[in-house]
Amino acid sequence: MQSLWMLLACAMFAAMGALVKVAADLGATLPEIVLFRGIPSVLLLYFWARSTRRTIRPSSWRLHVWRNLSGITSMWLGFFALSHLSLPTAISLNYTAPLFIAGWMLFFGGAQRDPVRVLAVLAGFLGVLGVLRPSIQHDQWIAALMGLGAGGLAAIAMMQIRQLGQVGEPEWRTVLLFSLGVCLSGLAGIALQGWRTSDPLALLALVGLGLAGLVGQLAMTRAFGLGSTLLTAALQYMTIIFAALIGVLFWGDRPAPLAWAGMALIIGSGLLSVWRTYTEARALRGDGRAARPEGAGIPTKEVNPS
């Protein structure tokens, strides 16, 4: 059941990415897309917290502010990439966060002699080159760089989430405040640009992407609460495979063999990074068990913020 819940989450996140492209193609603006991504999570978590008499006041506003700055910026960049690149290419770039974390640990985190992280960084770098080389046209490099930027900022957000956990902040509150920040950033963008979407199909796509993101978040939380954290984290890369299949079926994308190889390298490097982080955490705990997220069963877990 853990694997099935995680596969459902991956399918929903891939569908969310596809609906971002659909909404953008139908004229929805980036602020509107961001707003609808955050609304369902805010409503669900807020009313859940109120019904269970939990406080939404954080223990550290400063950490939340920095976490939201990196995470929200990552979401905007990731959605921009999804709007302008093929679905599998954009999703692959958005899922480079573990590669950036491995690189950080390798060069700045005291893990310079770790051959596993060296291999992960090299393989991930080659994978990014493989994805970009045959897939990106001359007018798409800005979108590609934004996709990579989304992955890098997602890595920063993940490390800040870890800091929030270390100070005792529950994950549901972190996600609630993040989703609230997402909505506020979307509203700010709409205030500047105005509301432009009038096509009923575009509105339907906006609602769909918000619901798909919410279902994916719920399914991922359920998966992390059922068993091995390592297995669940590894299965998240099925999102890239689902995105590639959706791209082939609905957009006629035909990634070149080099692009497929690049996706495989990105997935492989991410798995190496996840495995290394997991084994180090287990060694530090000394109990051989994977930690489970606080509050399993409520919508708390996040992957890439986008």
Side-chain angles (χ1 to χ4, degrees):
M1 286 304 299
Q2 176 194 10
S3 299
L4 292 176
W5 279 114
M6 193 59 207
L7 290 175
L8 174 61
C10 292
M12 289 296 100
F13 285 126
M16 183 191 73
L19 287 168
V20 168
K21 285 189 67 64
V22 171
D25 291 342
L26 292 173
T29 64
L30 190 56
E32 292 165 355
I33 292 172
V34 170
L35 174 64
F36 274 82
R37 173 61 183 92
I39 286 176
S41 297
V42 169
L43 293 177
L44 177 65
L45 280 169
Y46 177 79
F47 286 112
W48 174 83
R50 286 304 185 191
S51 66
T52 55
R53 300 182 182 278
R54 298 172 187 261
T55 179
I56 61 176
R57 183 183 296 275
S59 58
S60 173
W61 280 106
R62 181 182 62 84
L63 289 177
H64 278 285
V65 167
W66 286 110
R67 180 267 179 276
N68 281 9
L69 283 175
S70 58
I72 292 171
T73 306
S74 172
M75 177 174 289
W76 279 76
L77 295 180
F79 283 173
F80 183 89
L82 281 166
S83 301
H84 293 82
L85 300 175
S86 70
L87 184 62
T89 299
I91 293 290
S92 297
L93 295 177
N94 285 348
Y95 271 74
T96 53
L99 169 62
F100 283 100
I101 292 175
W104 171 265
M105 293 298 297
L106 180 62
F107 294 107
F108 303 105
Q112 288 88 345
R113 298 181 182 180
D114 185 349
V116 175
R117 283 201 171 90
V118 172
L119 180 60
V121 170
L122 290 177
F125 178 72
L126 292 175
V128 170
L129 291 180
V131 168
L132 294 180
R133 178 63 180 171
S135 305
I136 303 300
Q137 306 300 320
H138 70 278
D139 58 344
Q140 294 179 320
W141 280 102
I142 292 179
L145 291 176
M146 287 191 174
L148 278 176
L153 288 170
I156 295 174
M158 289 176 184
M159 290 188 285
Q160 290 167 335
I161 289 172
R162 181 180 179 183
Q163 289 182 331
L164 284 165
Q166 289 172 345
V167 300
E169 193 73 351
E171 291 175 344
W172 69 265
R173 189 185 297 146
T174 299
V175 177
L176 172 58
L177 293 178
F178 169 72
S179 300
L180 181 60
V182 168
C183 290
L184 291 176
S185 71
L187 288 172
I190 292 172
L192 292 174
Q193 293 186 0
W195 183 273
R196 300 182 182 178
T197 299
S198 57
D199 188 332
L201 290 179
L203 292 172
L204 186 62
L206 288 172
V207 173
L209 71 89
L211 293 177
L214 176 60
V215 173
Q217 194 168 300
L218 289 168
M220 177 165 296
T221 300
R222 183 65 174 168
F224 270 97
L226 284 176
S228 168
T229 302
L230 178 62
L231 174 62
T232 304
L235 284 174
Q236 70 176 319
Y237 287 94
M238 285 299 296
T239 305
I240 297 177
I241 305 302
F242 284 131
L245 294 176
I246 291 173
V248 170
L249 289 175
F250 293 99
W251 279 276
D253 295 331
R254 294 292 187 272
L258 184 59
W260 284 111
M263 293 178 203
L265 283 173
I266 290 173
I267 293 172
S269 66
L271 293 178
L272 274 177
S273 177
V274 167
W275 175 80
R276 190 57 175 168
T277 301
Y278 170 83
T279 55
E280 286 181 347
R282 187 176 62 178
L284 288 174
R285 287 194 303 272
D287 59 7
R289 294 174 298 174
R292 293 186 181 182
E294 178 184 350
I298 60 174
T300 59
K301 268 288 176 184
E302 292 179 83
V303 199
N304 187 295
S306 64

